[in-house]
Amino acid sequence: MQNLVRLQTEPPPATVAASRKTTLNGQQAEEVMRHFRTNVAKPVEINNEIHVNIGN
């Protein structure tokens, strides 16, 4: 158990930490929001609904 806790809480090796990008500039943030607003925020219409009646 102690080994699992250590593996989950110790910091990653320096090479892994250095390769992770931790900043987000304004252009990247704008692109993320644009993608969200055009693609994700418009759910697909559901045609085949399942109705479940439980109880009375």
Side-chain angles (χ1 to χ4, degrees), residues 4-49:
L4 289 174
V5 171
R6 183 184 57 79
L7 289 172
Q8 292 177 0
T9 56
E10 75 178 12
T15 54
V16 174
S19 67
R20 291 184 180 162
K21 191 171 187 180
T22 58
T23 60
L24 182 68
N25 68 30
Q27 290 177 336
Q28 290 171 327
E30 182 180 359
E31 183 61 30
V32 168
M33 288 305 298
R34 182 178 299 119
H35 176 75
F36 174 77
R37 290 178 179 152
T38 58
N39 298 324
V40 179
K42 296 178 183 174
V44 178
E45 183 180 337
I46 298 173
N47 294 326
N48 299 326
E49 292 185 26

